[in-house]
Amino acid sequence: MKQDKTTDTMPDRRRFLGRVGAGSLGFAVGGGLLAGCSRKPVQQVLQPTPAASAATDSAHEVNARASATVPFYGEHQAGIVTPAQRHIYFLVLDLHTTHLQEIREVFKRWTAYAIRLTRGENALPYGDNPFIPPADTGEAESLNAYSLTLTFGVAPSFLRKLGLSEQLPPEFTHLPAFPRDQIRKEISGGDICIQSCADDPQVAFHAVRQLVRQARSSVTMKWSQAGFNAYDDGQDTPRNLFGFRDGTANQETLKKANDWVWASAPNWLQGGSYLVARKIQMHLETWDRTSLKGQEETFGRSRASGAPIGARAEFDAADVNARDAKGQYVIPENSHMGLSKRSGGQLLRRSFSYANGIDPVTGQFDAGLLFVSFQKSPSQFIGIQSALGRIDKMNEYITHIGSGLFACFGGISEGQYIGQALLETRHG
Amino acid sequence: MKPVSFSLLAAALLALSAASCSKQEPAAPAATASLAESAPPDTPTAVDLAVETSAYKAWVEGQIDGLLTETQRFVDALKAGNLVEAKRLYAPSRMYFERSEPVAESFGDLDPRIDNREADLEKDENWTGFHTIEKVLWTKNTTAGTEALADQLINDIKELRAKIPTAEVTGELMVQGAVDLLNEVSTTKITGEEEIFSHTDLYDFKANIEGAEKIFEIFTPKLQAKNPELVAELTGKFKAVNDLLAKHQDGEGYKPYTALTKDDTKALAEAVNKLGEPLAQMGAILK
């Protein structure tokens, strides 16, 4: 089910200039002038000269990452089963209008900008009048697409404010309060979410900034969180700030994406998915004074390998019912993974770590996890989170402080716009 | 050492690829198409804004006349030792200055002499003007010690009035001035840092908005011809800001900044931002 990141054939300017710097002047004079501007494949021209080859291998790797693009069109929105990129900028907006037609126009424009941005282009041409501000803010000028994805979702309040309440499925309502929640209203709720992910943080931020700027009349920013995700290659499950792998179970979820990820009803949400966002503060200092054994029993996994306790490798099945000679569960009953697994539910996790400086009250790291999960129904998250409840051993080290539930629309094909299926369910 | 030809070539390539490979390729959308209608780039047509610039200059002159009259009353109250009256006149007098700042602040050190805040001072700089008097009035609760400052203030404003006719008012100054007035609101008025002793920031806020709105009003006929949607949008956005400000009116003036809640300041800041983005598009008439 994974969408492949395709490497586009367009030469990117940075690589082109890099080669010139490496000394291959001949090609620069011969073909370079054309190659630098053409959108046609110019792979031949860009082959490194033997002398330059060794020196530029690592540069090539970086540049392949830079020029990778993820198609915007498709059955589903990109940024859901797309392998998680290295950076996220997650923004939640409130509606500043109740006029449906105005919001249709916003989503039409957002779609057009998103298509260009995810190709590595600016949202808009700068314009040719020096007396007005450039239409694109320009900080991604020399940057390529970096697998940028832009994923749009709306909250129940969005439908209510726009007179679309009759389109609300019963399950699409506020998340309940969970035990130990310390949800802050200033980092919760909101009407619209935009999940911007890319392998470069500035590319991800630039995209969101353009979308907000071009819709400033109609929306107001509510809360946002930037985050990062680190891995050497895309096959690795990233580690969170507690040092444990996060998202190991995703491959099981992805095998049955139609059962766990993609919504099939109501009509306007077909091919879409519910997004749960939770800002989870992680108390790094308390974690750091927990023994390795205690840490592993908290997760139910080995820190080093990511394997379930009692198993050998990360992706080995976790036997949550196995007991040792004394009759105790091998995977502790109150471990995070043990409780989740026993609940029987599954999610697609797509979380990112954050580090926001120092907490002014405690003087400790203000850091944690922007937990993002996608699911066919909100009940999947609610079921698992309820199972964790008060007994999850992890509770000692984390606090949920922000929350949001959004329905991410299905994908579109050329000529359609994001959200159209919902926004055109009624006229006027 | 690099051969000279390499550097030259690299520079040429840089220039070339910067020019042709910038992210400008997508087709111009309808929204900005109207901005590109007039002349091809690099042949700027001289847009005749003589009517607008002279109308603006005349309005600014009127404002500075008002500044002189009202500041004279303020100064009289200071010198008469009338603390209550001086405090009452302080903020309304300043509004004339705040409205016309795009021109009023363009005369070298006159602006700092009249309007320096304590936080703006350079080391060992002599502090004069409205805000030093503000500090005495509100922190010491007396007019004593303001007499010399009052004399200098009125003299500086007379000097300003005398210089206004020499100001070169252009369309560009007006567009930039309108945006700058809003930027001032966003960075110093909305934070309460302009009037840290008197907390009369909302007076300045209102005056800055009025100054920007005046420029919009003068440009409206030309803008209407070029981009009627922008006129409609700006009319609505100015109204939104003014309606919000009206909620904080108190008699003939405004509530102190300290009476605003966090939600109040956030709503005001957001309304100003929603106005600022389209306001900058007024530059469309300059080309």
Side-chain angles (χ1 to χ4, degrees):
Chain A
M1 283 308 295
K2 285 189 177 182
Q3 281 175 255
D4 285 334
K5 293 177 185 178
T6 56
T7 301
D8 162 1
T9 50
M10 192 187 86
D12 80 82
R13 198 173 54 173
R14 293 175 71 84
R15 175 167 53 178
F16 170 64
L17 291 173
R19 291 283 146 66
V20 175
S24 41
L25 266 180
F27 98 78
V29 175
L33 297 176
L34 291 171
C37 307
S38 163
R39 290 200 165 243
K40 290 177 188 158
V42 285
Q43 303 294 50
Q44 252 178 319
V45 184
L46 286 166
Q47 287 305 316
T49 57
S53 151
T56 55
D57 263 5
S58 63
H60 187 275
E61 205 172 283
V62 170
N63 284 320
R65 195 202 297 168
S67 59
T69 59
V70 181
F72 185 77
Y73 294 119
E75 185 186 354
H76 308 294
Q77 283 196 76
I80 299 176
V81 295
T82 309
Q85 297 94 322
R86 286 174 164 79
H87 297 275
I88 189 171
Y89 194 87
F90 185 81
L91 177 72
V92 176
L93 301 158
D94 275 333
L95 286 171
H96 190 67
T97 177
T98 54
H99 294 124
L100 186 54
Q101 186 54 36
E102 185 178 337
I103 291 304
R104 285 185 189 127
E105 296 305 322
V106 167
F107 274 86
K108 279 179 200 172
R109 273 183 279 140
W110 276 353
T111 303
Y113 303 149
I115 288 163
R116 294 201 276 265
L117 287 163
T118 54
R119 285 180 189 150
E121 295 165 3
N122 276 341
L124 283 167
Y126 291 117
D128 61 358
N129 181 345
F131 300 109
I132 57 176
D136 187 286
T137 57
E139 72 269 33
E141 173 60 35
S142 50
L143 300 172
N144 222 311
Y146 281 90
S147 297
L148 174 70
T149 56
L150 290 161
T151 313
F152 298 85
V154 295
S157 54
F158 176 91
L159 282 80
R160 282 196 288 271
K161 288 179 184 176
L162 293 173
L164 297 166
S165 300
E166 76 276 14
Q167 300 298 328
L168 274 173
E171 63 181 344
F172 189 25
T173 174
H174 285 302
L175 290 175
F178 299 101
R180 299 183 60 101
D181 271 4
Q182 292 289 323
I183 302 299
R184 302 176 190 166
K185 75 171 175 34
E186 68 275 15
I187 47 174
S188 295
D191 299 326
I192 301 170
C193 77
I194 302 174
Q195 177 196 255
S196 177
C197 296
D199 280 332
D200 178 274
Q202 190 151 317
V203 167
F205 181 76
H206 167 261
V208 168
R209 181 178 177 194
Q210 308 316 306
L211 297 177
V212 171
R213 184 177 177 219
Q214 297 297 340
R216 207 177 272 286
S217 291
S218 313
V219 295
T220 300
M221 293 193 288
K222 172 92 193 266
W223 64 281
S224 79
Q225 183 60 56
F228 52 88
N229 220 333
Y231 45 82
D232 279 347
D233 75 66
Q235 304 307 309
D236 245 15
T237 311
R239 290 179 186 272
N240 59 33
L241 296 182
F242 284 165
F244 281 71
R245 296 188 186 278
D246 193 325
T248 299
N250 278 348
Q251 60 162 16
E252 292 304 314
T253 306
L254 287 168
K255 282 179 191 162
K256 293 185 172 176
N258 285 329
D259 294 342
W260 295 117
V261 180
W262 303 124
S264 49
N267 273 338
W268 63 265
L269 194 54
Q270 276 190 18
S273 188
Y274 286 101
L275 181 159
V276 169
R278 304 281 283 184
K279 185 168 170 180
I280 304 175
Q281 185 178 5
M282 290 164 62
H283 308 294
L284 301 188
E285 285 80 0
T286 57
W287 180 258
D288 292 348
R289 46 184 188 252
T290 302
S291 72
L292 176 62
K293 186 164 177 291
Q295 293 184 355
E296 293 188 331
E297 285 174 357
T298 300
F299 274 90
R301 291 183 180 276
S302 149
R303 190 194 59 80
S305 66
I309 293 178
R312 297 173 61 92
E314 182 189 356
F315 295 103
D316 285 356
D319 185 354
V320 289
N321 297 313
R323 292 173 188 263
D324 62 16
K326 293 178 189 161
Q328 302 290 316
Y329 282 110
V330 174
I331 297 173
E333 203 173 357
N334 59 355
S335 68
H336 193 68
M337 187 267 275
L339 289 166
S340 330
K341 277 267 191 279
R342 277 187 203 90
S343 78
Q346 285 190 41
L347 313 167
L348 180 67
R349 297 175 60 121
R350 212 170 184 283
S351 300
F352 293 78
S353 297
Y354 70 84
N356 288 356
I358 294 162
D359 185 318
V361 178
T362 63
Q364 309 304 308
F365 281 119
D366 178 3
L369 188 75
L370 177 65
F371 169 96
V372 175
S373 70
F374 290 94
Q375 45 268 306
K376 185 187 182 82
S377 161
S379 63
Q380 291 162 253
F381 174 80
I382 294 168
I384 292 175
Q385 190 60 26
S386 303
L388 298 173
R390 276 195 305 268
I391 50 176
D392 182 5
K393 203 164 163 4
M394 189 78 80
N395 287 337
E396 205 177 319
Y397 308 103
I398 62 170
T399 308
H400 286 235
I401 56 175
S403 181
L405 171 66
F406 303 90
C408 292
F409 303 112
I412 57 165
S413 49
E414 221 168 325
Q416 299 177 311
Y417 66 91
I418 288 289
Q420 186 171 2
L422 172 66
L423 298 170
E424 296 188 3
T425 48
R426 79 169 169 82
H427 298 284
Chain B
M1 204 179 90
K2 282 183 192 171
V4 174
S5 59
F6 174 83
S7 308
L8 283 175
L9 186 72
L13 280 167
L14 265 166
L16 182 94
S17 55
S20 55
C21 302
S22 64
K23 296 182 165 189
Q24 298 205 17
E25 287 166 66
T32 54
S34 61
L35 305 181
E37 64 186 17
S38 47
D42 305 326
T43 55
T45 44
V47 179
D48 184 7
L49 293 170
V51 174
E52 288 77 7
T53 52
S54 58
Y56 183 59
K57 197 166 173 180
W59 178 80
V60 170
E61 285 174 349
Q63 289 299 308
I64 304 301
D65 285 342
L67 176 67
L68 195 53
T69 312
E70 292 307 306
T71 308
Q72 185 64 59
R73 291 175 61 202
F74 174 59
V75 164
D76 291 345
L78 290 173
K79 299 183 85 170
N82 192 338
L83 177 67
V84 174
E85 183 71 352
K87 280 185 169 179
R88 191 179 69 77
L89 291 170
Y90 168 76
S93 314
R94 287 182 42 73
M95 289 180 81
Y96 294 93
F97 188 80
E98 292 286 333
R99 278 186 208 105
S100 47
E101 245 177 334
V103 177
E105 71 182 8
S106 59
F107 299 101
D109 68 343
L110 257 182
D111 175 58
R113 262 151 57 193
I114 294 169
D115 199 33
N116 246 355
R117 302 168 307 167
E118 195 169 21
D120 300 330
L121 297 176
E122 288 169 13
K123 193 169 184 291
D124 301 327
E125 189 180 352
N126 185 31
W127 189 23
T128 61
F130 276 112
H131 293 297
T132 178
I133 299 173
E134 176 205 2
K135 185 175 182 180
V136 175
L137 294 183
W138 270 273
T139 63
K140 295 188 179 159
N141 232 13
T142 176
T143 58
T146 62
E147 296 80 1
L149 290 165
D151 282 338
Q152 193 191 331
L153 177 63
I154 203 73
N155 286 337
D156 286 341
I157 288 173
K158 283 177 182 162
E159 187 181 333
L160 173 64
R161 178 62 189 91
K163 282 183 171 167
I164 292 288
T166 68
E168 195 197 340
V169 175
T170 62
E172 200 179 337
L173 176 139
M174 289 170 68
V175 170
Q176 192 55 49
V179 173
D180 285 348
L181 283 166
L182 251 73
N183 292 349
E184 284 230 1
V185 173
S186 296
T187 54
T188 64
K189 311 296 157 43
I190 207 69
T191 54
E193 67 184 64
E194 179 78 9
E195 308 284 358
I196 55 169
F197 308 109
S198 65
H199 304 304
T200 52
D201 303 83
L202 288 187
Y203 289 78
D204 302 334
F205 190 138
K206 177 68 178 177
N208 286 161
I209 297 294
E210 285 172 342
E213 198 165 6
K214 186 69 200 179
I215 293 170
F216 167 57
E217 186 190 309
I218 291 171
F219 279 154
T220 294
K222 279 228 165 63
L223 269 181
Q224 185 68 38
K226 201 145 191 172
N227 189 345
E229 296 85 13
L230 184 60
V231 172
E233 186 178 7
L234 285 172
T235 305
K237 297 289 191 285
F238 271 114
K239 183 175 184 312
V241 173
N242 285 324
D243 287 352
L244 266 184
L245 272 172
K247 286 187 189 171
H248 303 297
Q249 258 176 341
D250 183 13
E252 285 179 14
Y254 287 90
K255 279 185 208 164
Y257 178 81
T258 43
L260 299 178
T261 65
K262 272 186 184 171
D263 285 344
D264 289 337
T265 48
K266 202 167 154 186
L268 285 164
E270 184 62 27
V272 170
N273 282 338
K274 283 177 166 34
L275 169 62
E277 195 74 43
L279 193 70
Q281 300 298 321
M282 286 201 308
I285 63 164
L286 297 177
K287 195 178 167 197

